[in-house]
Amino acid sequence: MLTRYLQLVLAGAMSQIRLEKWKIFDSLDDQVKRSIHLAIVLKQRNDLMDSWKYSALYVTEDDEVFGMGENLNNGCFGTGDKVPHPEPKRIDVLCGKNIKGLEHSKEPSIYAIYAISSIGSVFAWGENSQGQLGLGTRKNTLIPTKITKTLVGKKVVQVACGTNHTLALTSDGQVFAFGSNYYGQLGLSNNIDKSIPAKVDGSLAGRFVIAIACQRNASLALLDSGEVFAWGWNKNNILALKVPNNDNQNIPLDVLRLEREMFSKIVCGLYHTLALSTDKKVYAWGNNSNGQIGDGTKNRVTIPTIISSAIGGVKDIAALSCASAALTETNEIYIWGFHGDQDILSPTINYLFTTLDEVFAPDICRPLRPKEDLSLSINMNDSQNMWLEHGFDDKETADFVFVVEGKKIHVHKIILILRCAFFKIMFLGDWKEKHLSEQTIEVYSFDAFYAFMKYFYFSELDVQPEKVLEVFCMAHYYQMNELQMKCERLITTIVTVENAAEIYEKAHELSAKSLEDFVFSFCLKNMAAVVESDNFKTLRDGVRRDFLQRAAEQGE
């Protein structure tokens, strides 16, 4: 049966990572580059040369892990030595462990590094003066060492790092913290450092956390309810807590949010936070000295503030130091904050970038992975995909039923929640459906709604041509933009004299401009036949009048 862990399944291999922006990989041959499915890049200031030195760690498809470069931080490779490795050096202890995640601390030159395996084990090495490796000591270590103690039997799905503190998120939605606690950033109701992972309770007790993030000396958690909690360094309330506290905050408190607003992703710079809402808007708060909030000023922001809606719907966000970036649904990159030695105070489109990773190169804001299809909130391996395909309309494992034309379609709430913001609000918000196990659909046909639900499991549009316009309307209503575009492409192949007027009216009603224009062009070429069709005669008066006026203008 599907479990809540599927919310945080680590991605399998997809397309190739684009490595050309990171010069440290230039010496690798093309075959090796193609084999890399996960990488991080580290840097350290070279004061003598007034420049930066770089190192890299990467994982290949055949489950081997390598380090190369300057071997910063007195042994950041995990190879047990402190010497540079211009050529890749195999990290034996991590090979064969199916490493799916790599993370490192925020502060350059004092790296603590973490590797997460597919079974949820965490290996840590590097800087450990505050116990941030979670190994029960304060000794630096040159060799990746498995974190045990309180994480035994737990499956870790994410690690987030501040400067000297670390968070680990487990598959059952619990957060563990370790390292420096001077500012209360561990959230343990005290200011005592911890060298062994300690569970964060307080306001998080009994709640399910789906993501974590860290500022330099603060921590944040995103709950499955869409709420955000924060704790740690909070000078001038840069954490935007609902109950303002301008001092250090040592227990999790909820962040102020707009009424009914729900967040689906959080990321942090050194002292600012970005949050992506379920309706694809970007909110920001915290320090704004370089314009990283994106509100057009450099004034500190202590209330989550929506970034200009002019950038349209956003499907991914990233932050690094004093800079921010967003990827829109139309695959445009917007940047703001400190970029290229200048402060950009408002989101500005940049056509030079195609991925968020490239925005920050040669630094990185997150581990480099193959380019993902972010229309999916979860990414599965082949066996898990097979399970999903068999799970569709399976009444034995489903936990929700849609009744359409008297027939039942069995689905899993978690799949709908993760793939669609509308259903996330419906099932996790305060709607009545949250407490129901069945809903009757009256406005769509069974065949169309069945194809719509099937798309959630297969990511393929399997529908009869005569039903595709109906699915197109559903995709619009439920805000499934990728599906809407697939429907639109299919519709353009089935336009006829008999159905053109109906498609035109629906495209006009839904403001689907490209489809409307396509059908209009078809109608112009077949004007006499279209006007004589039954569908044209049933057009609403306003639509018919606008159509004829537009046609007359085209004929001038």
Side-chain angles (χ1 to χ4, degrees):
M1 183 174 179
L2 280 178
T3 67
R4 300 185 79 171
Y5 172 58
L6 287 180
Q7 298 177 61
L8 295 158
V9 172
L10 294 168
M14 286 167 282
S15 58
Q16 185 181 355
I17 301 176
R18 297 185 60 175
L19 298 176
E20 61 269 19
K21 298 288 185 178
W22 292 270
K23 298 298 183 183
I24 191 168
F25 298 109
D26 285 354
S27 62
L28 300 179
D29 64 42
D30 290 341
Q31 183 176 353
V32 172
K33 290 179 183 178
R34 285 193 295 269
S35 74
I36 296 174
H37 76 85
L38 178 66
I40 58 173
V41 177
L42 313 173
K43 71 174 185 177
Q44 184 176 28
R45 186 74 179 176
N46 185 344
D47 292 329
L48 292 177
M49 303 292 293
D50 191 26
S51 61
W52 293 95
K53 299 185 293 184
Y54 288 90
S55 295
L57 297 167
Y58 65 85
V59 185
T60 64
E61 292 176 349
D62 56 0
D63 201 11
E64 293 201 319
V65 186
F66 295 87
M68 62 181 296
E70 295 291 338
N71 207 352
L72 311 176
N73 201 43
N74 293 323
C76 67
F77 289 159
T79 53
D81 59 50
K82 299 182 180 182
V83 299
H85 292 287
E87 299 298 321
K89 172 79 172 182
R90 193 173 185 269
I91 306 176
D92 293 329
V93 70
L94 296 179
C95 294
K97 297 296 192 300
N98 200 11
I99 299 302
K100 295 296 185 182
L102 291 170
E103 299 292 341
H104 63 79
S105 52
K106 284 189 178 294
E107 201 73 26
S109 307
I110 53 170
Y111 289 112
I113 306 170
Y114 308 84
I116 309 170
S117 75
S118 61
I119 63 172
S121 297
V122 181
F123 296 82
W125 68 101
E127 171 68 27
N128 194 35
S129 60
Q130 307 297 313
Q132 60 263 50
L133 297 184
L135 302 175
T137 74
R138 290 179 176 235
K139 296 180 180 179
N140 297 351
T141 178
L142 301 181
I143 297 176
T145 304
K146 185 176 178 180
I147 301 177
T148 54
K149 309 293 183 181
T150 48
L151 292 185
V152 170
K154 296 288 186 180
K155 182 177 290 185
V156 174
V157 294
Q158 185 188 358
V159 169
C161 309
T163 296
N164 292 307
H165 80 288
T166 309
L167 302 182
L169 174 64
T170 60
S171 60
D172 55 0
Q174 297 180 344
V175 179
F176 289 78
F178 40 103
S180 174
N181 198 25
Y182 183 84
Y183 300 98
Q185 60 263 51
L186 301 188
L188 304 175
S189 75
N190 58 52
N191 294 84
I192 302 172
D193 296 349
K194 292 285 185 180
S195 61
I196 294 175
K199 184 182 174 185
V200 182
D201 278 323
S203 301
L204 299 186
R207 308 294 298 274
F208 194 94
V209 176
I210 63 172
I212 50 178
C214 290
Q215 294 182 11
R216 175 176 274 174
N217 297 306
S219 306
L220 292 94
L222 173 63
L223 278 60
D224 62 356
S225 61
E227 299 169 271
V228 176
F229 282 71
W231 58 98
W233 192 77
N234 190 41
K235 186 176 181 180
N236 299 315
N237 198 31
I238 68 164
L239 297 181
L241 301 178
K242 184 181 293 185
V243 180
N245 180 350
N246 295 331
D247 206 345
N248 301 330
Q249 176 62 48
N250 61 20
I251 59 172
L253 289 181
D254 50 341
V255 169
L256 184 68
R257 60 176 180 156
L258 300 181
E259 188 68 21
R260 294 176 62 88
E261 189 60 80
M262 299 177 65
F263 297 116
S264 59
K265 182 171 185 175
I266 52 173
V267 296
C268 292
L270 290 179
Y271 298 109
H272 78 288
T273 301
L274 302 182
L276 183 61
S277 70
T278 53
D279 57 356
K280 301 175 183 178
K281 299 174 185 174
V282 181
Y283 289 75
W285 62 93
N287 185 43
N288 195 25
S289 58
N290 297 97
Q292 58 264 50
I293 300 302
D295 65 349
T297 77
K298 291 189 176 184
N299 301 325
R300 183 179 60 254
V301 175
T302 59
I303 296 175
T305 299
I306 188 169
I307 303 307
S308 172
S309 59
I311 68 176
V314 171
K315 61 182 179 181
D316 198 14
I317 52 177
L320 180 71
S321 188
C322 301
S324 306
L327 174 66
T328 70
E329 293 179 299
T330 54
N331 293 316
E332 295 172 321
I333 300 288
Y334 282 80
I335 62 174
W336 62 100
F338 186 71
H339 290 272
D341 296 325
Q342 64 176 323
D343 294 334
I344 302 172
L345 304 187
S346 299
T348 302
I349 194 169
N350 190 304
Y351 294 104
L352 297 177
F353 304 125
T354 59
T355 68
L356 290 181
D357 293 325
E358 295 175 51
V359 172
F360 301 99
D363 299 328
I364 61 168
C365 59
R366 59 193 182 182
L368 302 172
R369 295 178 181 275
K371 188 175 181 180
E372 299 180 32
D373 178 4
L374 289 165
S375 63
L376 281 170
S377 298
I378 52 176
N379 300 286
M380 309 248 177
N381 60 35
D382 291 340
S383 62
Q384 290 159 338
N385 272 323
M386 187 179 299
W387 196 103
L388 282 181
E389 293 170 7
H390 288 295
F392 173 60
D393 202 21
D394 180 4
K395 63 182 180 181
E396 293 184 3
T397 61
D399 57 0
F400 197 80
V401 175
F402 288 104
V403 181
V404 191
E405 296 180 342
K407 292 180 280 189
K408 294 183 176 182
I409 305 173
H410 301 83
V411 298
H412 303 83
K413 287 183 180 179
I414 188 63
I415 299 301
L416 273 58
I417 289 169
L418 292 174
R419 295 210 57 181
C420 177
F422 183 99
F423 285 118
K424 183 170 184 177
I425 296 173
M426 175 173 150
F427 289 127
L428 298 181
D430 55 5
W431 294 15
K432 66 178 182 179
E433 284 82 3
K434 178 178 181 178
H435 306 289
L436 299 179
S437 59
E438 184 174 295
Q439 183 185 44
T440 299
I441 301 296
E442 298 178 345
V443 295
Y444 302 115
S445 68
F446 174 82
D447 289 343
F449 202 82
Y450 187 89
F452 178 60
M453 286 292 107
K454 190 174 182 179
Y455 179 80
F456 282 82
Y457 290 74
F458 290 79
S459 295
E460 295 179 356
L461 180 56
D462 182 14
V463 62
Q464 294 299 314
E466 63 270 18
K467 297 294 182 181
V468 67
L469 185 60
E470 205 175 343
V471 177
F472 176 76
C473 295
M474 277 184 269
H476 175 83
Y477 178 77
Y478 289 99
Q479 301 174 25
M480 298 283 288
N481 295 319
E482 183 188 10
L483 176 57
Q484 188 172 343
M485 288 188 287
K486 287 185 176 182
C487 289
E488 184 172 325
R489 287 193 291 269
L490 180 55
I491 290 170
T492 60
T493 69
I494 62 169
V495 178
T496 65
V497 167
E498 289 74 22
N499 65 20
E502 178 188 7
I503 295 173
Y504 178 85
E505 181 175 44
K506 189 57 66 176
H508 181 80
E509 176 187 328
L510 301 182
S511 299
K513 191 68 169 57
S514 60
L515 180 59
E516 180 182 340
D517 290 345
F518 178 89
V519 179
F520 181 77
S521 295
F522 175 90
C523 291
L524 280 182
K525 296 175 183 177
N526 303 274
M527 180 61 71
V530 170
V531 170
E532 289 298 319
S533 69
D534 291 337
N535 272 328
F536 188 84
K537 295 172 184 177
T538 61
L539 283 178
R540 288 184 289 112
D541 290 342
V543 176
R544 186 188 301 112
R545 184 175 58 252
D546 291 344
F547 174 87
L548 292 174
Q549 181 178 347
R550 183 179 178 184
E553 292 171 351
Q554 289 289 321
E556 292 178 354

